């Protein structure tokens, strides 16, 4: 009598698996298994789909110049505004890399040509333009770009500063 009672009692940690019959034996279905879904209706996952992988690679290529912007900003900060060989080389590389990338745009996206990668190319183009603008801004802040007419005309005097300011601590 007591053995019947124990077998009929349900434990709160026990799982009651639905039983499906295949051939001669009873097979327990695992939790979450739905036997009504057939194997043929299961779609291939997007990670293994070749067209999805090509589009993902195209977006990785397109966003690469924009991912370099924070590092370029850090390089610009570390270079400073002095005119010496290392800051000029850093700014030169900041300017030359996007220009080279724009000239090789078609060969960069050659493997994706048949998949209409217009948006990816446009984002790649914009990212490289942003890189060039950052380099030009750094050149302007270093004083390397001619921004006044006196920079290219010898008979015009350079602009005169009306005010000078400086920082520092007061020792009063």
């Amino acid at each position: 009598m007591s053995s019947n009672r124990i077998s009929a009692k349900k434990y709160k940690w026990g799982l009651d698996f639905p039983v499906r019959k295949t051939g001669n034996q009873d097979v327990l279905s695992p939790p979450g298994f739905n036997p009504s879904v057939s194997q043929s209706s299961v779609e291939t996952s997007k990670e293994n789909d070749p067209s999805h992988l090509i589009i993902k690679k195209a977006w990785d290529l397109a966003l690469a110049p924009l991912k370099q912007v924070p590092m370029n900003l850090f390089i610009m900060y570390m270079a400073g505004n002095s005119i010496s060989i290392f800051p000029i080389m850093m700014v030169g590389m900041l300017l030359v890399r996007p220009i080279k990338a724009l000239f090789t745009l078609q060969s960069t996206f050659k493997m994706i040509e048949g998949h209409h990668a217009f948006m990816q190319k446009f984002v790649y183009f914009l990212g490289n333009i942003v890189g060039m603008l950052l380099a030009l801004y750094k050149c302007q802040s270093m004083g390397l770009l001619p921004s006044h007419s006196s920079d290219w005309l010898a008979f015009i005097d350079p602009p005169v500063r009306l005010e000078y300011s400086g920082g520092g601590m007061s020792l009063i």
Side-chain angles (χ1 to χ4, degrees):
M1 194 80 170
S2 65
S3 65
N4 274 343
R5 224 193 219 164
I6 293 173
S7 64
K9 186 177 178 183
K10 297 285 184 181
Y11 296 103
K12 62 181 178 180
W13 50 266
L15 292 175
D16 186 22
F17 294 111
V19 177
R20 64 184 169 108
K21 295 188 180 206
T22 58
N24 308 4
Q25 44 186 305
D26 292 339
V27 178
L28 298 176
S29 297
F33 178 75
N34 189 359
S36 64
V37 177
S38 67
Q39 294 289 354
S40 63
S41 67
V42 176
E43 296 181 17
T44 60
S45 67
K46 285 190 174 184
E47 288 81 24
N48 295 335
D49 188 22
S51 63
H52 176 72
L53 290 175
I54 290 172
I55 292 171
K56 184 179 179 197
K57 179 69 174 170
W59 279 112
D60 288 343
L61 280 172
L63 294 174
L66 291 174
K67 290 178 182 178
Q68 291 177 356
V69 168
M71 181 54 92
N72 289 345
L73 288 171
F74 180 70
I75 289 172
M76 287 171 45
Y77 169 73
M78 293 303 289
N81 286 337
S82 65
I83 305 295
S84 62
I85 189 70
F86 291 114
I88 290 176
M89 284 176 33
M90 288 181 188
V91 171
M93 287 306 294
L94 285 175
L95 187 61
V96 168
R97 261 188 286 141
I99 292 171
K100 283 184 180 178
L102 288 176
F103 280 122
T104 61
L105 185 121
Q106 289 299 326
S107 64
T108 302
F109 286 93
K110 187 175 184 178
M111 66 175 197
I112 310 164
E113 202 60 42
H115 295 278
H116 309 291
F118 176 74
M119 279 303 293
Q120 290 91 346
K121 287 181 185 179
F122 184 68
V123 170
Y124 185 79
F125 176 77
L126 286 181
N128 284 310
I129 294 296
V130 166
M132 285 176 38
L133 290 176
L134 284 174
L136 290 175
Y137 170 75
K138 185 63 178 179
C139 288
Q140 172 66 30
S141 67
M142 291 174 72
L144 297 175
L145 291 182
S147 57
H148 302 288
S149 54
S150 64
D151 291 335
W152 57 82
L153 297 174
F155 58 88
I156 296 178
D157 293 330
V160 179
R161 283 190 164 174
L162 299 175
E163 187 177 311
Y164 291 94
S165 66
M169 292 179 49
S170 174
L171 298 175
I172 298 177

